[in-house]
Amino acid sequence: MLGSSETVGKMSGLFGNDSVYPKVQTEVYKKISELSGFYRLDDIYLSLIDQYMFPCLILNDRGEIVASSESADQYLKSSKGNIHQAFPASLSVQVNAALQRAKKEKKVSFKNVPIYLSGELSFVHLTLKSFFRQYHKLYVLFIEKAKEEAARVPVSGGEDGQLHLQHLYRTVKELEASNDALVSANQKLQEENKKLTALNRAFEKKVNELNTLKNDLNNLLTSTNIAAVFLDQELKLKLFTPEAANMFDLKKEDLSRPADKLTERFNYKEYADDIKRTLYENKTVVKEFEMPNGGWYTVKMIPYYASGKKVEGIVVTFTNVTELKMTNEALHISSQAIDQSPANILLTSVDGSVTYANKRFCRMLEKHLDDLIGGDVFNIYRKHFHCDDLNRFWKHVLDKKPWSGELHYQDGEQQDRWEQISLIPVEDSAGNVHQVMLISEDITNQKRSEKMLMKSEMLSAVGQLAAGIAHEIRNPLTSLKGFLQLMIQSKKYQKDYAEVMMSEFIRLEAIINEFLVLAKTKSTTFDPVQVNSIVEDVCMVLESQAVLNNVRIEKQLSGDLPEILAVSNELKQVFLNILKNAIEAMEDAEGFITIRSYYEKDSVFITFEDQGKGISKDVLEKLGEPFYTTKEKGTGLGLMVTFKIIENHGGSIHFESEEGKGTTVKLKLPIKE
């Protein structure tokens, strides 16, 4: 379609050429000037062409119709397509010839071109003129109908002219039929060409994919750290990776040579036989061999097929498995160590499903490993140990916090038993808990021995306290005896004497009750207790011994102390041991023993601070060891029992001391949850 400002401007010469178009009347220019303000002028130009010019068409370099006037439709079979599709045969040949000449010449004209219109033979003049539009060339075709005189010239020759005209009719018809056949054949060729083009694109895509795959394989072979060699059917080197080149000192010159050179670098006697077996029997062979330098390699021989089932060669890979072999050996040793461990070891998933149990654990339950794999660890402890406490500590392990503690249960004979348990999280490479390791040990005999030691230490403590208790009881007894003698002598009842005597009896009763506590059987039940109450009871028992040593006990106890879960008698024994040691440390010096209690976050703290002779650093490191003591008549078991009791309560004990400046003992116990 011609543009309003661009195309017509370039074609202005066409309208001024009298040989192409007669001079346009003055009113035409006036009409164009009047219509120049319209936005789209293409329709106006085409309308003017239809009114004042010959039928006109615009063609491109490929012979395709770009635009046409309505008056030109009478000469066309179709207003779209190329020259052969749009024009009848008689015109298409001439127009195509004119187009080929117009590519070299600026203007081409053909006179009296015959055309068969509406069943009659007519003649037209064709004029084709080229012009440039932006970056490409366009062609304007004018079709002028010949005058009647010119059309009748061939007929005026009489009978010869009539024959010539009939021959011309037949020729036009034949040309049209040939053109239709050519157009049909051309369409078929175009369809076949489209199919071939699509097929060619598919082939190109496949070729590109194969090239990409080839490049990927080449990159893989170049960058891999696996030594690989490719052998053809004659067992000659066809290709090798850089790693293989380094391993066997191969060069490009070795290609197409026999692969015997490889055997010079490793101890593999069956190499040649295995290569042939792979090639002729189509079998994959995998072997391990040791290099002269001590390293281990796995060799794998694989037949490869180029097409069908025919073996075209062999791929031989050499993988260094030295580290893997060493790791497997280390794992085997570790597995043997775990299996023969004197402790009971169990591996489970995070949900408690058993994945492994060592021999000792299996013997303890009298079960085979296969019977335990897949079982639930919580059900095992509930069924065989009658213990549900394991559930309480499992969540700590899933939070990556290892847990260790004691589990108490009763066996089938209703005997008390104890087990030391450690739950350890096993993390994977991403840092997530993948498994849980349970390590347990039966400590029943140890617990029984500790109980006997505690009882022995308690009896020892009772013996040492006897003197202080005797002195404490003697004072109220002296008062009672004196007041009774006074009342007997006076033979009358004295109320004041009776009240004093009653207070002394109450004091005696309290001392005796606390003394008897030490002889009672210990309870292993953890109950809510108040630490301050236990401190008060212990101070009452040892107050007389403190007075004998010129020591005063000062208590600074927090009034809002929360309760803790503990065995009351065991804590009394701990406080009794610590306070008695503090009094004995001050036997040569007067002063104070300060007892404080307070709490921080989730723990209760109790401190015993004396002003005694202190403890050296060497002695501090040995405190708590069995049978180690600095006293002449001591057994060395008191602090050991103290440490064990605090540990069983989930707490800790810490000593701070300096020679000549006293000692501070700090106890930490968890608050009741």
Side-chain angles (χ1 to χ4, degrees):
M1 190 66 69
L2 295 177
S4 57
S5 62
E6 182 182 28
T7 308
V8 174
K10 292 183 179 181
M11 292 178 62
S12 58
L14 294 175
F15 295 94
N17 192 339
D18 292 339
S19 64
V20 177
Y21 181 71
K23 190 171 182 180
V24 184
Q25 293 91 331
T26 305
E27 56 268 19
V28 175
Y29 293 103
K30 290 181 181 179
K31 194 168 185 179
I32 292 175
S33 177
E34 292 173 0
L35 298 174
S36 62
F38 284 88
Y39 177 70
R40 288 184 57 86
L41 297 180
D42 292 349
D43 293 339
I44 297 172
Y45 296 143
L46 290 175
S47 177
L48 291 173
I49 287 171
D50 284 334
Q51 291 182 38
Y52 301 104
M53 294 184 66
F54 302 129
C56 175
L57 297 98
I58 300 175
L59 308 174
N60 59 20
D61 278 328
R62 296 185 298 276
E64 297 170 338
I65 297 176
V66 176
S68 65
S69 63
E70 291 183 6
S71 58
D73 291 346
Q74 59 183 315
Y75 301 105
L76 302 175
K77 293 193 299 181
S78 171
S79 59
K80 296 181 181 179
N82 57 29
I83 293 173
H84 298 290
Q85 295 171 337
F87 289 95
S90 55
L91 278 182
S92 64
V93 175
Q94 299 293 338
V95 172
N96 187 52
L99 180 63
Q100 299 305 319
R101 285 177 56 187
K103 291 180 180 179
K104 299 178 181 179
E105 304 174 14
K106 197 167 185 181
K107 178 181 175 184
V108 178
S109 298
F110 288 109
K111 299 292 185 179
N112 296 322
V113 176
I115 183 173
Y116 197 73
L117 295 175
S118 303
E120 295 183 0
L121 180 65
S122 300
F123 294 88
V124 294
H125 303 316
L126 303 178
T127 302
L128 190 67
K129 188 172 182 180
S130 63
F131 66 94
F132 286 96
R133 184 178 186 271
Q134 292 183 350
Y135 304 107
H136 54 277
K137 211 172 186 181
L138 292 178
Y139 305 87
V140 180
L141 174 66
F142 294 99
I143 304 175
E144 179 185 359
K145 194 169 184 181
K147 295 180 179 179
E148 292 183 4
E149 293 80 5
R152 286 196 295 267
V153 170
V155 185
S156 60
E159 186 177 349
D160 292 337
Q162 188 67 32
L163 292 173
H164 177 73
L165 182 60
Q166 291 176 357
H167 177 71
L168 190 58
Y169 281 152
R170 287 194 298 272
T171 303
V172 170
K173 283 291 185 179
E174 289 174 358
L175 286 172
E176 288 180 350
S178 299
N179 184 65
D180 291 341
L182 287 172
V183 169
S184 177
N186 184 52
Q187 289 177 347
K188 290 181 179 179
L189 287 174
Q190 287 181 350
E191 291 176 359
E192 292 296 327
N193 184 56
K194 286 180 182 179
K195 293 179 181 179
L196 290 173
T197 301
L199 187 60
N200 184 54
R201 288 175 181 171
F203 282 141
E204 286 180 354
K205 185 178 179 182
K206 284 292 183 183
V207 169
N208 291 333
E209 289 177 356
L210 290 173
N211 286 334
T212 302
L213 182 60
K214 180 182 178 182
N215 292 334
D216 291 342
L217 288 174
N218 287 336
N219 291 332
L220 175 63
L221 292 175
T222 303
S223 60
T224 184
N225 59 355
I226 297 176
V229 295
F230 295 76
L231 309 179
D232 59 18
Q233 287 182 320
E234 297 178 359
L235 302 181
K236 294 180 179 180
L237 285 173
K238 186 177 181 181
L239 184 67
F240 51 81
T241 63
E243 189 70 19
N246 295 332
M247 181 176 176
F248 300 110
D249 193 24
L250 296 175
K251 298 179 178 60
K252 289 184 178 179
E253 295 78 13
D254 293 318
L255 294 175
S256 300
R257 292 179 181 175
D260 297 339
K261 184 177 180 180
L262 304 181
T263 58
E264 300 173 1
R265 301 296 300 273
F266 53 81
N267 303 324
Y268 186 180
K269 296 179 180 178
E270 301 86 4
Y271 172 76
D273 294 336
D274 288 341
I275 283 276
K276 293 177 181 178
R277 189 151 58 95
T278 303
L279 181 64
Y280 299 123
E281 298 180 14
N282 298 350
K283 290 184 178 180
T284 299
V285 177
V286 179
K287 292 285 184 67
E288 272 190 5
F289 65 89
E290 186 176 8
M291 296 286 282
N293 60 3
W296 282 88
Y297 277 80
T298 295
V299 60
K300 190 172 185 179
M301 302 175 181
I302 310 170
Y304 72 84
Y305 308 86
S307 60
K309 295 183 178 181
K310 184 180 179 182
V311 177
E312 296 291 336
I314 302 173
V315 181
V316 186
T317 61
F318 301 85
T319 307
N320 191 333
V321 294
T322 305
E323 292 185 7
L324 181 62
K325 201 170 184 67
M326 293 174 63
T327 303
N328 288 338
E329 186 65 24
L331 287 174
H332 177 72
I333 294 172
S334 300
S335 175
Q336 290 292 316
I338 291 174
D339 214 31
Q340 302 298 329
S341 171
N344 303 314
I345 299 177
L346 199 68
L347 278 175
T348 74
S349 60
V350 292
D351 59 356
S353 179
V354 176
T355 58
Y356 171 79
N358 70 344
K359 291 181 179 178
R360 186 179 178 88
F361 194 94
C362 295
R363 284 197 301 267
M364 181 179 67
L365 297 185
E366 296 179 352
K367 296 280 186 180
H368 192 270
L369 178 61
D370 295 338
D371 298 330
L372 295 177
I373 296 296
D376 186 76
V377 65
F378 307 112
N379 290 337
I380 291 174
Y381 267 80
R382 192 178 299 113
K383 180 179 179 181
H384 294 278
F385 303 104
H386 308 286
C387 176
D388 293 321
D389 292 343
L390 196 63
N391 291 315
R392 292 193 293 129
F393 312 114
W394 199 263
K395 60 181 180 180
H396 294 283
V397 186
L398 300 184
D399 293 334
K400 301 182 181 181
K401 298 176 182 178
W403 176 85
S404 294
E406 295 178 0
L407 292 183
H408 171 253
Y409 58 91
Q410 289 185 331
D411 58 17
E413 298 177 358
Q414 301 300 311
Q415 296 294 320
D416 287 334
R417 301 194 69 84
W418 287 266
E419 194 172 9
Q420 178 69 37
I421 295 283
S422 292
L423 297 176
I424 303 170
V426 180
E427 300 179 10
D428 57 17
S429 57
N432 301 317
V433 178
H434 182 65
Q435 287 186 317
V436 177
M437 178 181 286
L438 184 151
I439 304 174
S440 64
E441 186 177 0
D442 191 338
I443 56 170
T444 303
N445 293 334
Q446 180 183 337
K447 294 294 288 186
R448 289 172 180 170
S449 298
E450 287 175 2
K451 280 198 168 188
M452 292 177 65
L453 287 173
M454 290 172 65
K455 186 174 182 180
S456 173
E457 180 61 24
M458 185 60 68
L459 292 175
S460 175
V462 169
Q464 293 180 29
L465 289 173
I469 297 296
H471 176 78
E472 190 67 23
I473 293 176
R474 188 183 295 115
N475 289 336
L477 285 177
T478 302
S479 299
L480 290 171
K481 183 178 179 182
F483 284 122
L484 280 174
Q485 287 176 348
L486 288 174
M487 284 192 290
I488 290 172
Q489 290 175 0
S490 62
K491 295 182 180 180
K492 59 170 78 170
Y493 170 74
Q494 293 288 339
K495 183 179 179 182
D496 295 338
Y497 295 166
E499 290 176 354
V500 174
M501 291 171 66
M502 181 58 68
S503 66
E504 293 297 327
F505 277 122
I506 292 172
R507 180 169 175 75
L508 276 172
E509 184 181 17
I511 293 171
I512 292 170
N513 286 339
E514 288 303 319
F515 188 73
L516 289 175
V517 164
L518 300 176
K520 289 183 180 178
T521 303
K522 301 290 186 299
S523 170
T524 57
T525 304
F526 284 73
D527 299 314
V529 298
Q530 263 289 348
V531 172
N532 288 346
S533 300
I534 299 176
V535 172
E536 293 283 1
D537 293 343
V538 171
C539 288
M540 180 183 294
V541 173
L542 293 179
E543 189 173 358
S544 60
Q545 185 175 345
V547 171
L548 289 174
N549 286 276
N550 296 320
V551 175
R552 283 179 290 176
I553 299 175
E554 185 178 286
K555 292 171 284 187
Q556 298 177 9
L557 307 179
S558 174
D560 57 349
L561 210 64
E563 291 182 334
I564 66 170
L565 285 176
V567 180
S568 179
N569 289 339
E570 290 185 356
L571 282 189
K572 282 184 181 179
Q573 183 173 350
V574 169
F575 295 164
L576 191 67
N577 286 343
I578 295 172
L579 187 56
K580 181 167 64 68
N581 288 342
I583 293 171
E584 291 173 354
M586 295 179 62
E587 59 186 1
D588 296 328
E590 296 183 6
F592 294 91
I593 295 176
T594 305
I595 304 175
R596 296 184 178 90
S597 67
Y598 60 95
Y599 76 95
E600 292 179 358
K601 294 183 180 178
D602 57 352
S603 299
V604 169
F605 295 87
I606 308 98
T607 63
F608 297 82
E609 184 178 352
D610 65 55
Q611 297 175 341
K613 55 188 177 183
I615 307 172
S616 67
K617 290 184 178 180
D618 294 339
V619 175
L620 271 177
E621 294 177 357
K622 297 180 180 180
L623 290 179
E625 293 182 5
F627 306 110
Y628 178 80
T629 179
T630 58
K631 303 175 186 177
E632 286 186 22
K633 298 181 180 180
T635 62
L637 299 175
L639 277 182
M640 188 202 75
V641 172
T642 297
F643 272 90
K644 190 61 183 177
I645 291 173
I646 295 300
E647 181 185 340
N648 291 342
H649 281 72
S652 62
I653 181 169
H654 180 68
F655 286 82
E656 293 179 1
S657 184
E658 189 175 345
E659 288 188 276
K661 294 186 179 181
T663 302
T664 299
V665 183
K666 186 176 183 180
L667 301 176
K668 177 184 177 182
L669 295 167
I671 294 173
K672 180 183 73 171
E673 295 181 359

